[in-house]
């Protein structure tokens, strides 16, 4: 083992970066590991290289993305030890961390570990979801942020949640040919969410942001069908047709790309591997590590 740090953080997204800079301020020897080549996590993926190498994409992604540059810059200035391109695949019971970098396995010791590995897109297993051409909407977001790439041909987005709308609005701004947004949210879902509305109004800027995204999609002339069900993808070698039911009628759209999205779920691979206790979040419907009021998991030091 090369070295032992008081504090190792896995994940250089906003959570990991904020924790690392605070630890450094408190004069704690800290190391950040992340599998991406640049700091920023999912929301600010590749923010620095996008700004310098792909200014058109940088401007298309807008202020909510560009603000990540300030965070990334402060982190770089903070002097925190940071190893990019490091995929952590194992943490031993003594908290030594094993990671893969440039094809080599390396190891570092930790007295305390912060798992800040964020969220991942929830898989959406509809019939035909393994056909080439069917992918996650957040995966399209990854391609846009990391390489400025957008899907060619006819695109359909289907599912629910803010990232669906964010991706639709960004792809529309990039002149992608979007045939429709198929919303799986039903009237019943909206009614079930009603009791949460008063609390949501305290964060009304998020509600307004959501409404603005929907408006941008509609203004781009993209048809939106709500409450769709029986969604499936068909094709022989790749996606050819998106089939769904809307208002009791079966419908079909010929398309080259179908982007699915039903929200994100906690990325629990490392906390599972560590043996942390997990609990089910009934409202959000995902497993996440059980934490005490200080953020400690059931495993000592994590
Ligand atoms: C694909 C995707 C795109 C998203 N885009 C947006 C967006 O544009 N706007 C928005 O508001 N929200 C977006 N989100 C939601 C997003 O999760 C949060 O907004 C925000 O990024 C969470 O910050 P975080 O620091 O908790 O985690 P993240 O930003 O997810 O950062 C976690 C970091 O951990 C690293 N990591 C994970 N596992 C390992 C491992 N085993 N070894 C090493 N490193 C590891 C990842 O590379 C990543 O950099 C997106 C989510 C996803 C999944």
């Amino acid at each position: 083992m090369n070295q032992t740090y008081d504090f190792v953080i896995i994940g250089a997204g906003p959570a990991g970066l904020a924790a690392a800079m605070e630890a450094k301020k408190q004069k704690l020897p800290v190391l950040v590991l992340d599998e991406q080549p640049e700091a920023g996590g999912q929301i600010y993926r590749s923010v620095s290289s996008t700004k310098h190498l792909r200014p058109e994409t940088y401007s298309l992604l807008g202020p909510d993305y560009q603000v990540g540059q300030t965070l990334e810059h402060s982190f770089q200035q903070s002097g925190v030890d940071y190893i990019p391109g490091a995929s952590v695949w194992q943490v031993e019971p003594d908290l030594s961390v094993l990671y893969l970098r440039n094809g080599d396995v390396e190891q570092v010791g930790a007295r305390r570990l912060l798992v800040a590995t964020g969220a991942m897109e929830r898989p959406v297993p509809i019939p035909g979801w393994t056909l080439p051409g069917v992918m996650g909407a957040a995966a399209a977001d990854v391609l846009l942020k990391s390489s400025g790439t957008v899907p060619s041909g006819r695109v359909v987005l289907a599912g629910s949640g803010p990232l669906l709308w964010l991706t639709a609005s960004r792809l529309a701004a990039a002149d992608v040919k979007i045939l429709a947004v198929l919303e799986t949210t039903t009237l019943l879902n909206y009614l079930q969410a009603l009791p949460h509305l008063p609390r949501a109004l305290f964060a009304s800027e998020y509600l307004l942001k959501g409404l603005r995204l929907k408006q941008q999609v509609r203004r781009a002339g993209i048809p939106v069908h709500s409450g769709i069900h029986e969604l499936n993808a068909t094709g022989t070698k790749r996606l050819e047709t998106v089939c769904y039911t809307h208002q009791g009628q079966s419908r079909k759209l010929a398309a080259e790309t179908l982007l699915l999205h039903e929200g994100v779920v906690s990325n629990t691979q490392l906390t599972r591997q560590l043996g942390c206790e997990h609990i089910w979040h009934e409202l959000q419907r995902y497993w996440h590590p059980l934490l005490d009021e200080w953020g400690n998991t059931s495993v000592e030091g994590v």
Side-chain angles (χ1 to χ4, degrees):
M1 188 164 1
N2 301 335
Q3 208 177 337
T4 295
Y5 281 82
D6 279 354
F7 194 30
V8 171
I9 297 175
I10 306 171
L17 298 184
M21 288 190 282
E22 183 59 32
K24 182 78 182 177
K25 230 193 283 172
Q26 304 301 331
K27 308 211 181 318
L28 202 62
V30 56
L31 169 72
V32 176
L33 298 166
D34 195 295
E35 62 192 358
Q36 290 190 44
E38 279 175 56
Q42 300 290 9
I43 181 167
Y44 307 132
R45 179 179 283 269
S46 310
V47 67
S48 205
S49 61
T50 303
K51 180 178 180 183
H52 296 110
L53 305 176
R54 295 178 294 279
E56 274 178 21
T57 307
Y58 187 71
S59 127
L60 185 147
L61 288 165
D64 280 357
Y65 175 72
Q66 293 161 4
V67 75
Q69 245 275 297
T70 315
L71 177 67
E72 200 265 348
H73 183 72
S74 311
F75 174 66
Q76 295 298 351
Q77 297 297 306
S78 70
V80 168
D81 288 359
Y82 164 51
I83 307 180
S87 299
V88 177
W89 55 276
Q90 168 105 357
V91 181
E92 300 288 342
D94 67 354
L95 300 191
S96 51
V97 178
L98 291 117
Y99 59 93
L100 193 68
R101 189 167 190 252
N102 298 329
D104 291 326
V105 171
E106 296 182 36
Q107 190 170 351
V108 68
R111 294 195 178 87
R112 293 259 160 185
L113 190 69
L114 181 79
V115 183
T117 50
M120 52 188 257
E121 193 166 35
R122 187 194 293 275
V124 188
I126 58 160
W129 73 317
T130 56
L131 280 172
V134 183
M135 58 191 277
D141 179 86
V142 169
L143 285 172
L144 179 60
K145 287 173 183 164
S146 55
S147 63
T149 309
V150 294
S152 59
R154 296 160 295 181
V155 176
V156 175
L157 288 103
S160 65
L163 264 175
L164 182 81
W165 292 97
L166 182 63
T167 308
S169 70
R170 283 173 171 169
L171 294 183
D175 289 331
V176 170
K177 187 168 174 42
I178 302 176
L179 296 187
V181 173
L182 308 177
E183 227 194 349
T184 51
T185 315
T186 61
L187 187 62
L188 183 66
N189 294 137
Y190 282 112
L191 292 177
Q192 282 172 340
L194 261 188
H196 304 285
L197 185 61
R199 255 181 68 207
L201 286 173
F202 280 110
S204 53
E205 77 270 27
Y206 289 110
L207 289 180
L208 290 174
K209 205 182 262 188
L211 289 173
R212 270 199 299 272
L213 289 177
K214 287 188 162 193
Q215 214 175 33
Q216 278 163 16
V217 170
R218 289 201 164 94
R219 272 211 200 116
I222 299 166
V224 175
H225 302 303
S226 297
I228 69 110
H229 55 106
E230 291 169 0
L231 177 69
N232 63 82
T234 61
T236 41
K237 291 199 174 144
R238 53 162 299 117
L239 173 73
E240 287 165 15
T241 313
V242 178
C243 310
Y244 61 101
T245 301
H246 182 231
Q247 295 176 338
Q249 295 205 331
S250 299
R251 290 170 193 240
K252 287 181 180 183
L253 287 171
E256 280 73 43
T257 305
L258 170 62
L259 301 177
L260 300 168
H261 187 77
E262 291 290 353
V264 295
V265 296
S266 187
N267 182 354
T268 57
Q269 283 155 348
L270 279 179
T271 47
R272 292 242 181 236
Q273 190 267 316
L274 270 155
C276 301
E277 195 179 330
H278 286 72
I279 50 169
W280 177 247
H281 194 304
E282 185 56 39
L283 198 61
Q284 299 281 349
R285 301 202 178 160
Y286 59 66
W287 291 94
H288 63 101
L290 176 68
L291 303 176
D292 70 12
E293 68 268 37
W294 295 99
N296 292 303
T297 68
S298 59
V299 171
E300 179 67 28
V302 180

